[in-house]
Amino acid sequence: MKKYSVFMMCLVSIMSLCAQNGNDWRRLMSREERVTMHSNVLGTDRNYTVYLPAGYDAEETRRYPVLYLLHGMSDDDRRWYDRGHAKDVADQLISSGEAVPMIIVTPDAGGNPAEKWNGYFDMKGWPYEQFFFNEFVPEIEKRYRAIPDKGARAVAGLSMGGGGSTSYAQRHPDMFSSCYAMSALMHLPEADASKVAAGDKTALLTDAVHRLSCVEYVKNADEKTKADLRTVAWFVDCGDDDFLLECNMDFFKAMRNAWVPCQFRVRDGGHTWEYWNSALYTALPFVSRNFKTVK
Amino acid sequence: MKKYSVFMMCLVSIMSLCAQNGNDWRRLMSREERVTMHSNVLGTDRNYTVYLPAGYDAEETRRYPVLYLLHGMSDDDRRWYDRGHAKDVADQLISSGEAVPMIIVTPDAGGNPAEKWNGYFDMKGWPYEQFFFNEFVPEIEKRYRAIPDKGARAVAGLSMGGGGSTSYAQRHPDMFSSCYAMSALMHLPEADASKVAAGDKTALLTDAVHRLSCVEYVKNADEKTKADLRTVAWFVDCGDDDFLLECNMDFFKAMRNAWVPCQFRVRDGGHTWEYWNSALYTALPFVSRNFKTVK
Amino acid sequence: MKKYSVFMMCLVSIMSLCAQNGNDWRRLMSREERVTMHSNVLGTDRNYTVYLPAGYDAEETRRYPVLYLLHGMSDDDRRWYDRGHAKDVADQLISSGEAVPMIIVTPDAGGNPAEKWNGYFDMKGWPYEQFFFNEFVPEIEKRYRAIPDKGARAVAGLSMGGGGSTSYAQRHPDMFSSCYAMSALMHLPEADASKVAAGDKTALLTDAVHRLSCVEYVKNADEKTKADLRTVAWFVDCGDDDFLLECNMDFFKAMRNAWVPCQFRVRDGGHTWEYWNSALYTALPFVSRNFKTVK
Amino acid sequence: MKKYSVFMMCLVSIMSLCAQNGNDWRRLMSREERVTMHSNVLGTDRNYTVYLPAGYDAEETRRYPVLYLLHGMSDDDRRWYDRGHAKDVADQLISSGEAVPMIIVTPDAGGNPAEKWNGYFDMKGWPYEQFFFNEFVPEIEKRYRAIPDKGARAVAGLSMGGGGSTSYAQRHPDMFSSCYAMSALMHLPEADASKVAAGDKTALLTDAVHRLSCVEYVKNADEKTKADLRTVAWFVDCGDDDFLLECNMDFFKAMRNAWVPCQFRVRDGGHTWEYWNSALYTALPFVSRNFKTVK
């Protein structure tokens, strides 16, 4: 056993990296940052978190595909990183080649639902979907070296964000090459009308999810819509202990009946972060291989 | 690199084994045999294939749990071994400890459906289920050193044999500790009455699967029946491209509604041998950890 | 789609659980607690974290096997739970039956190495191994309903704790049924003698790891020692990007040459928490199936 | 449950496919064929087996990347298909998108070693490597719609063919974008000189493997050679019970010391077809994502 070989290897490695990069090895590493932007549509500031892959800072003209990674109800943009460990997973998969270098971005669409607006849809007094498509995506594609193209955008999310991802890709199929839905809230029963009328934030969210039911959308799709849906690569992933599994099975049945190709996986687990963290190991390779115009 | 270390290792290994076993190393290996038995119930001879784990011949008084591994329509008892590679999988998993040493046995319940009786149920002129429980299981437990106990029996199968496994464990919950259904034929629509009356073998099979629908059985279960179902460990495994996935989802929904714990997995794949071969890697550990009174 | 079926299911579930348990559903859940004990051997207080499986509080006389789960250098007892998510993984695997209900316990053997003693071995002025076997294990087996038996104890750990686990199981094979080493520090080159003499904590740790090299221990084992090693089930798991992979390969070669059965896995990844979190999905089933006298 | 939905789905599916393809649905399926070619270099006819992906016949001008999939000692070109089930695996992975549509081709380099020449290297009287690069690859690229480019060629193999793959990619790095070695014979001790002189086929093979040791090749590589090696994506996959694991670990160590990126996996298993069949599930995605100029 060679003495100190481990230490030598590390040392040589860092030196070698620095030599190529003006001694600033940090420029070679991936990083994550939280940014605040102003939304005119919503009339307020909004946070988002961005993952920039290794090499982003060093290769100053290279453009990247973007994954929009949506969080769940009552969470915010930090949770995919603080508990989902999205940066750690992306670093590993990009390093081994299972995922392509990409920008990952999570907008804030939540917080305590008693106080904060949750959800990805337009609701009376909170046109979040307008914000997303008219302000947020343009902001990302301007601020970062994103490839502004359907073939280089993907959307994924968990629970409320899984439903959000699916509905976004359903109604904006020209925007995304693929959609990966985890433990997705694919539909909800009707909301309490009086609460909706009273402007209760949770009731408005329930109402939006009900109106935009991902399952009904597929069931009611005409041929043109189905053809559009087939331009997106779909993946549905839900645990066998998840209370949302039934609506995910309903969604998959609808997709199958509509002849829209869709991957479907049921793995062991519930509506938990262990499930979503491990789902990233499938999701990032999936969106990677469905990115077009990049490799 | 030490020269010939590989050859030395093999040589020493074989010598060491022989020294312990009267020089007959074959007694240490697993093996598989095909046996013919006579059935009075069916009025004919029937084949079956048996896997005996490594050590079976050498440890002359040890008793083993038994997995009844059922084949699909138009196949026979050889297919789980010739194409499912059940012996190879069992050897590996038992060697690494992921499965416990067990006897695996596959009865013949098929062949060309135009000529041969297929299926695991009693049909007019072919009381196969009576044969299975009254003649076949007793034969196995007499001829081999099986542990004759619910805690040491499991049943698994693919397609027609997945439905057969499930229905056997549903209606004989005192017989099996666990049931693993692969790509299972959980129910079928009603058969053509005239063909049934005419004694058409395929129509009679369809009729039996319809009458004994695994899905309806759970839906119609009373509390006593549900309590019995909960004494069996259940696992349902079906590919996302399988044309039988829908009835497996229906079955799982029914089990969930009946509060009968059931593992459910949907992996990538169709109604194929690649799926069933890989399912063994989950099935053998599952039945192993649900065997009682053995370890 | 039945309305509110999800909510009903949750409600019924909680009501049913409460009915059985004096309305205190918390008694049915797993939980984790941090405890402080006094060590006479070390002359100071020490923390540890304990995971108690679902049912521990409700089944008041049931005894459980124990996994000692060791952390790495510069970490402490909280890290396996705060970042390794050991509770979440254990909950899932025990729920699905892939792991048996067990107590998991992590002692504190670290912190900032400039200030705190790190490591699992006896060092001049810090007889940690004496503490572990003479005070800590007895404390656990007295305070909790542990099964005080080799067949019901396992040890596992990462990095410094992977080496600690291996060395503990090597030199105390009567104590553990199995050992699962992750990204293990199996040996180290000689420490700087002057720093050792000066009582430098890191140098003393290096010296202990060097003296107790897991690789050399196997290489130098006599037949009696090898026979003892064979009474433990071994598993070595290390990433292909880990700077410690080489010493893990050396260890495995030594085990193979000594004819001590040992599972070995190299998966994608480095010396990271993503690796160790995912390793738990293999480790908990492994120690479970090697527990004796329990099922 | 809708009656006959399964049958309807199948029927509609087949009708729909036929409608698009002049009623000849077979043109849409993947297929496999065995071909005999004449080798002037070897002075004899040689067989090979080719897998053509779904769509090959229908899309008459599309060109495909090629995986050269090498068999092991004493086997021939049929074994990857008859026992490795390469067609079934490729069909599934291409269908789900985990692998790109590709041509897979296995030349015959074996048979009973007492009678037949085994191996991928030039031996006295049997210049197989010349045949492979000068006749076989050109034949494939002429006869089939292959993309004749480094970025669209990959090589993989098991045992003797794993060593062959590695050595081919080492000494012809301009020919292959990636190399996936399974349970590879990376080197052998020196052959018996008298047997070599006597023209013994097995001794000549041993001699070739020894002379072209994949481990020594990396150890002895100069900077130019290392730079060439870095233009190939490498993957080494070997079971923990495989008697060849040691030389695979040696190879990986050499690659790491030479700073040539290389994926390394050790999974459960031995030198068995179960291992190689399952390795295809990693190998086909790996070579797919390393193909350039195609997507």
Side-chain angles (χ1 to χ4, degrees), chain A residues 176-287:
Chain A
F176 303 105
S177 53
S178 65
C179 172
Y180 192 106
M182 307 170 189
S183 314
L185 185 66
M186 291 293 193
H187 72 115
L188 268 182
E190 230 170 312
D192 181 322
S194 62
K195 286 189 177 175
V196 171
D200 177 274
K201 286 188 174 67
T202 306
L204 282 164
L205 169 59
T206 301
D207 178 60
V209 174
H210 173 70
R211 278 186 293 108
L212 296 169
S213 163
C214 301
V215 181
E216 296 302 314
Y217 191 86
V218 180
K219 284 184 175 171
N220 299 329
D222 57 21
E223 286 311 309
K224 164 73 171 70
T225 304
K226 289 178 190 174
D228 286 346
L229 291 177
R230 289 184 199 112
T231 70
V232 178
W234 301 90
F235 203 117
V236 172
D237 181 356
C238 187
D240 68 340
D241 299 321
D242 198 310
F243 61 94
L244 292 181
L245 178 56
E246 253 120 348
C247 68
N248 281 273
M249 296 196 292
D250 290 340
F251 176 79
F252 180 71
K253 276 191 192 182
M255 292 288 271
R256 185 181 265 206
N257 286 337
W259 294 88
V260 181
C262 182
Q263 296 293 318
F264 185 38
R265 300 290 186 279
V266 178
R267 298 179 292 121
D268 184 40
H271 207 74
T272 70
W273 272 107
E274 283 299 290
Y275 200 87
W276 304 320
N277 167 258
S278 60
L280 286 179
Y281 287 86
T282 318
L284 299 190
F286 176 75
V287 303

Side-chain angles (χ1 to χ4, degrees), chain D residues 190-208:
Chain D
E190 230 170 311
D192 182 322
S194 62
K195 287 189 177 175
V196 172
D200 176 274
K201 285 188 174 69
T202 306
L204 281 164
L205 169 60
T206 302
D207 178 59

Side-chain angles (χ1 to χ4, degrees), chain C:
Chain C
M1 302 161 207
K2 268 181 274 164
K3 273 190 195 177
Y4 302 115
S5 63
V6 166
F7 303 96
M8 284 301 294
M9 176 173 291
C10 294
L11 194 64
V12 169
S13 168
I14 289 168
M15 284 169 56
S16 143
L17 293 175
C18 292
Q20 299 161 36
N21 284 274
N23 290 339
D24 186 356
W25 57 269
R26 281 165 305 188
R27 299 184 64 220
L28 293 171
M29 316 275 289
S30 72
R31 62 188 169 84
E32 158 189 321
E33 62 185 22
R34 193 179 204 190
V35 180
T36 303
M37 69 177 282
H38 184 73
S39 166
N40 292 322
V41 166
L42 297 175
T44 184
D45 285 356
R46 299 302 292 169
N47 295 320
Y48 60 89
T49 296
V50 177
Y51 166 85
L52 299 170
Y56 183 89
D57 293 318
E59 300 181 60
E60 294 174 4
T61 57
R62 181 171 172 180
R63 292 190 164 275
Y64 294 84
V66 181
L67 168 62
Y68 293 87
L69 184 61
L70 310 186
H71 66 73
M73 191 170 161
S74 83
D75 285 343
D76 68 17
D77 57 301
R78 292 301 313 151
R79 287 286 278 170
W80 261 119
Y81 304 88
D82 294 341
R83 180 56 184 90
H85 307 301
K87 178 177 181 295
D88 296 348
V89 179
D91 282 351
Q92 176 178 324
L93 294 178
I94 293 171
S95 163
S96 69
E98 292 186 53
V100 298
M102 70 180 84
I103 298 166
I104 302 176
V105 56
T106 304
D108 177 7
N112 180 349
E115 301 165 10
K116 306 251 185 180
W117 288 101
N118 270 266
Y120 298 94
F121 303 132
D122 288 340
M123 294 175 275
K124 201 170 57 181
W126 190 251
Y128 192 91
E129 188 164 340
Q130 288 183 41
F131 158 72
F132 189 92
F133 287 99
N134 298 338
E135 291 185 331
F136 182 63
V137 171
E139 152 96 358
I140 295 301
E141 297 187 348
K142 185 176 155 196
R143 186 181 179 106
Y144 299 98
R145 278 178 272 113
I147 304 170
D149 188 77
K150 169 184 168 74
R153 286 189 214 100
V155 65
L158 74 90
S159 196
M160 179 184 84
S165 301
T166 305
S167 191
Y168 275 13
Q170 284 179 329
R171 292 176 299 107
H172 306 264
D174 55 314
M175 287 291 287
F176 303 105
S177 53
S178 66
C179 172
Y180 192 105
M182 307 169 189
S183 314
L185 185 66
M186 292 293 193
H187 73 114
L188 267 183
E190 231 171 311
D192 181 322
S194 62
K195 287 190 177 174
V196 171
D200 176 273
K201 286 187 173 68
T202 307
L204 282 163
L205 170 59
T206 302
D207 178 60
V209 174
H210 173 70
R211 278 186 294 107
L212 296 168
S213 163
C214 301
V215 181
E216 295 302 315
Y217 191 85
V218 180
K219 283 185 176 171
N220 299 329
D222 58 20
E223 286 310 310
K224 164 73 171 69
T225 304
K226 289 178 189 173
D228 286 346
L229 292 177
R230 288 184 199 114
T231 70
V232 177
W234 301 91
F235 203 117
V236 172
D237 182 356
C238 188
D240 68 340
D241 299 322
D242 199 311
F243 61 94
L244 292 180
L245 177 56
E246 253 121 347
C247 67
N248 281 273
M249 295 196 292
D250 290 340
F251 176 79
F252 180 70
K253 276 192 193 181
M255 292 289 271
R256 184 182 265 206
N257 286 336
W259 294 88
V260 181
C262 182
Q263 296 293 318
F264 185 39
R265 300 290 185 282
V266 178
R267 299 181 290 120
D268 184 39
H271 207 73
T272 70
W273 272 107
E274 283 300 291
Y275 201 86
W276 304 320
N277 167 260
S278 60
L280 286 179
Y281 287 86
T282 319
L284 299 189
F286 176 75
V287 303
S288 292
R289 61 182 181 255
N290 286 295
F291 283 139
K292 305 293 186 303
T293 77
V294 281
K295 190 143 190 188

Side-chain angles (χ1 to χ4, degrees), chain A residues 38-49:
Chain A
H38 184 74
S39 166
N40 292 321
V41 167
L42 298 175
T44 183
D45 284 356
R46 299 302 293 168
N47 294 320
Y48 60 89
T49 296

